[in-house]
Amino acid sequence: MADGVVLLDTYFSMFGMRARLALAEKGIEYEYKEENLGDKSPILLEMNPVHKKIPVLIHNGKPVCESLIIVQYIDEVWKDNNSPSLLPSDPYQKAQARFWADFVDKKVYDAGRRLWTTKGDELETAKKDFIEALKLLEAELGKKPYFGGENFGFVDVALVTYSSWFYAYETCGNFSVAEHCPKLMEWVKRCMEKESVSKSLADPKKVYDFVLFLRKKHGLE
Ligand SMILES: N[C@@H](CCC(=O)N[C@@H](CS)C(=O)NCC(=O)O)C(=O)O
């Protein structure tokens, strides 16, 4: 494998988008390789033999796996680039940022997935869980412009990629994020004003078409 930076990814992945976004924030040039998860490439299997999942960041031939670990790696390796650090230097603040990013992975991902893979009572529970998780995040954001405070940071990267799935979640679940969490939607708009964010996130309409395709495949439509 040649030197440099390669990202194994898929367009629709909120995890892959985190890596794209962190690389964009730091202004890193890289080779993008779109994976077909139905027919995984030998390089993906070689670089992530444990989970066999995207994203994988390959830096000078060496793989880094798991999106939040990739974002932290990018933040540490390219810390002298012109953008501020994504993670705070204070150990307590850093622990808090990691806590909320972990919360996103545990609660938002799980409830979000149930929003487009279930029906009836299960869907109602998913909706309740999803809104509850977003409300907790909205409270954590408080009056700050970003989760990172004045600067866009680690939790912002972890969560904002989900916003490209909101339209699909809302349509499948028949609810509105803005109605329940207006401040969080203002934060999404604020983040989208950053070029690093807008260019890294998938088009919500395309995400919805993709979700419809998966729902048909699994007999949900
Ligand atoms: N915890 C992982 C999750 C990555 C993940 O679930 N990737 C999915 C695509 S969104 C994948 O590669 N799935 C392939 C598979 O499960 O076989 C991360 O944060 O990177």
Side-chain angles (χ1 to χ4, degrees):
M1 159 99 20
D3 281 2
V5 183
V6 178
L7 183 66
L8 309 183
D9 195 1
T10 63
Y11 175 73
F12 296 111
S13 169
M14 58 279 275
F15 305 111
M17 287 180 232
R18 288 172 172 169
R20 294 184 326 239
L21 171 44
L23 288 164
E25 268 290 294
K26 301 282 175 181
I28 310 303
E29 294 206 1
Y30 62 99
E31 184 184 346
Y32 179 87
K33 288 194 182 203
E34 178 81 10
E35 274 290 324
N36 172 3
L37 295 178
D39 180 20
K40 293 175 185 171
S41 71
I43 186 172
L44 174 60
L45 301 177
E46 182 194 333
M47 293 288 155
N48 190 355
V50 176
H51 296 301
K52 305 175 180 65
K53 290 184 181 192
I54 60 88
V56 180
L57 183 85
I58 307 171
H59 185 204
N60 294 333
K62 291 188 291 191
V64 183
C65 303
E66 290 291 312
S67 61
L68 292 178
I69 294 172
I70 293 172
V71 173
Q72 293 180 67
Y73 179 81
I74 292 168
D75 199 32
E76 283 179 18
V77 171
W78 289 283
K79 65 171 173 291
D80 294 330
N81 285 41
N82 282 334
S83 62
S85 285
L86 294 169
L87 275 155
S89 53
D90 173 74
Y92 184 75
Q93 297 301 329
K94 197 185 285 187
Q96 290 306 105
R98 287 179 173 144
F99 170 85
W100 284 109
D102 181 61
F103 175 86
V104 172
D105 269 0
K106 289 188 173 129
K107 298 290 183 184
V108 180
Y109 175 72
D110 172 63
R113 188 173 171 81
R114 284 184 280 127
L115 280 172
W116 62 270
T117 54
T118 64
K119 285 182 165 185
D121 288 349
E122 274 184 282
L123 177 58
E124 289 310 307
T125 308
K127 215 187 299 188
K128 196 178 119 294
D129 292 348
F130 187 74
I131 293 165
E132 200 174 283
L134 291 192
K135 277 186 180 295
L136 282 167
L137 284 157
E138 193 176 57
E140 167 58 20
L141 177 66
K143 293 192 189 318
K144 304 189 290 287
Y146 298 109
F147 285 90
E150 289 305 312
N151 293 323
F152 182 82
F154 187 59
V155 182
D156 298 285
V157 176
L159 181 63
V160 77
T161 60
Y162 281 84
S163 67
S164 63
W165 280 69
F166 281 1
Y167 176 67
Y169 294 152
E170 291 174 320
T171 312
C172 295
N174 190 26
F175 72 106
S176 151
V177 174
E179 209 172 280
H180 295 279
C181 301
K183 295 279 175 213
L184 198 72
M185 282 313 289
E186 282 171 26
W187 163 81
V188 169
K189 290 200 186 95
R190 198 173 303 127
C191 292
M192 287 298 274
E193 283 164 16
K194 289 172 70 66
E195 199 196 331
S196 60
V197 178
S198 59
K199 79 173 189 190
S200 304
L201 267 50
D203 176 345
K205 295 275 161 52
K206 288 188 182 157
V207 173
Y208 178 60
D209 288 345
F210 174 62
V211 164
L212 272 185
F213 163 79
L214 292 176
R215 280 170 66 87
K216 280 186 189 138
K217 200 169 136 188
H218 294 106
L220 286 152
E221 286 288 327

